[in-house]
Amino acid sequence: MKWSGKGKAEKKASKKPRRHILRTILIVLAAVAMALALGIHIYASGYYHAEPEAQEALASTTDVTVTTLDSGDVLFVPKNADAAFVFYPGGKVEATAYAPLLARLADRGVACVLVKMPENLAVLAPNAADHARPELEEALSDAGEDSSALPWLIGGHSLGGAMAGSYVAGHEESYRGLVLLGAYETSDISSSSLSVLLMYGEHDGVLNRTKYEECLENLPSGYTELIIPGGIHSYFGSYGLQEGDGTPEIANAEQLDFAASAIADFAGTPSVS
C-alpha cells in the first residue's frame, strides 16, 4: 500500500490558520496595551508641579540629610531618628511637592522616604513600599541607626493615602501605624492592631466626605481623627490650589506645621519647641 502524505499536509495546513489567529490576538492585545499606556500618559501629563519652596526643602541641613536616589525616591534622614515613615504622594502631583512636609517631619525626628510614583499615580505602583522601605532602612543603617528598633509608619495624601492603605492591609505586621491625609481606607483592617491617624482640612473641597464616612468602619477602633481649622486638601503639599478645592483660611506653611506636629506626635517622637 502506498502512502500519499496527504494527512501530514492537511495537518500543516490546519496549523496555519491557528497561528494566524494567535498572531492577530497578540497584535490586538499589544495595540490595546499601547493605547491604554498612551491614555494614562495623556491623563497624567496635566499634573500639579511642585512650587519653588519645595525645591528648597530638598537641601540637606546640619540635622537632616536629604538624598535623591536614582529611583527618584527622596530620603530624609535626621540625626537620632525616633520613627520612620514611608510616604505615598497624591495623584497627579509631583512627588517633590511633599518635600516641605517631610522635611518638617525629619526636623521632628521622623526619618522619611518620599516615593516617586510612575506618571505621578500611586495606583500604578501600590506596592512601591517593597523597594522604598529597604532604601530608607539602608540609609538609616549607614547613619548608624537600628531601623528595626523604630516604629514604622506608612501613609500618604489623597490617592497616595488610599494606595498606602491598600498596601498595608497585606503587610500589617510590618507597620505600627497608618497616616491618611485627605484620604480614606478602602480595605478592611478593622481587626488589625494598627494605629490610624486621619487628617483633613476644614475646607477640603476634594475629599469625598460620603465615601470617607462610609470607610471609617474599615478602621480599627481607637483611630485618631484631626480636622485642621481653615485647612484645605491641597495644603498637605506645596503645589498650589487643586481644582475643586475649598478656600483656605490659613497659610500653606501653617497647615504643613500642623500636619507635621500631629504626625510626629502620632509616631511618638519627642516634641519640638
Side-chain angles (χ1 to χ4, degrees):
M1 182 170 123
K2 224 181 213 183
W3 176 69
S4 65
K6 185 178 178 183
K8 189 173 182 181
E10 288 177 347
K11 286 181 180 179
K12 284 184 178 180
S14 66
K15 286 181 180 179
K16 287 183 179 180
R18 287 200 294 269
R19 288 175 182 170
H20 177 72
I21 292 171
L22 180 59
R23 187 181 303 112
T24 301
I25 291 173
L26 292 175
I27 291 172
V28 170
L29 290 176
V32 170
M34 290 176 64
L36 180 60
L38 179 60
I40 291 172
H41 178 71
I42 292 172
Y43 166 75
S45 62
Y47 65 90
Y48 293 93
H49 294 262
E51 297 196 326
E53 54 264 36
Q55 187 64 37
E56 297 172 9
L58 293 172
S60 296
T61 66
T62 55
D63 296 316
V64 177
T65 300
V66 182
T67 307
T68 302
L69 304 177
D70 291 340
S71 64
D73 297 346
V74 184
L75 307 177
F76 298 79
V77 180
K79 293 180 180 178
N80 303 315
D82 296 296
F85 186 27
V86 179
F87 185 87
Y88 284 16
K92 295 183 70 175
V93 178
E94 188 174 10
T96 52
Y98 297 94
L101 173 61
L102 301 194
R104 283 169 166 80
L105 279 169
D107 284 338
R108 291 163 170 79
V110 181
C112 303
V113 53
L114 171 57
V115 185
K116 179 178 173 56
M117 294 295 181
E119 300 287 4
N120 297 307
L121 292 170
V123 71
L124 298 180
N127 296 327
D130 285 345
H131 75 260
R133 175 167 172 163
E135 290 172 341
L136 184 54
E137 288 175 337
E138 182 177 354
L140 286 165
S141 178
D142 291 343
E145 300 273 2
D146 180 7
S147 63
S148 65
L150 299 177
W152 278 83
L153 311 178
I154 187 170
H157 177 226
S158 198
L159 176 64
M163 292 300 99
S166 175
Y167 175 84
V168 82
H171 301 81
E172 298 166 17
E173 71 290 344
S174 300
Y175 292 88
R176 198 201 74 179
L178 172 65
V179 178
L180 300 174
L181 307 178
Y184 44 82
E185 174 61 75
T186 58
S187 300
D188 185 357
I189 57 171
S190 58
S191 62
S192 78
S193 59
L194 282 167
S195 297
V196 179
L197 172 63
L198 300 160
M199 204 182 328
Y200 65 89
E202 178 185 8
H203 302 304
D204 188 325
V206 178
L207 178 65
N208 184 327
R209 299 292 180 88
T210 301
K211 190 68 175 177
Y212 174 90
E213 294 293 336
E214 290 175 353
C215 288
L216 290 177
E217 65 181 21
N218 291 330
L219 302 176
S221 60
Y223 61 82
T224 300
E225 182 181 45
L226 296 176
I227 302 173
I228 303 175
I232 59 172
H233 192 82
S234 312
Y235 277 6
F236 286 111
S238 295
Y239 58 90
L241 293 178
Q242 191 165 333
E243 183 179 357
D245 207 352
T247 301
E249 294 179 346
I250 59 174
N252 196 173
E254 190 177 350
Q255 180 162 333
L256 291 171
D257 287 338
F258 185 105
S261 294
I263 295 169
D265 288 344
F266 176 71
T269 67
S271 60
V272 176
S273 58

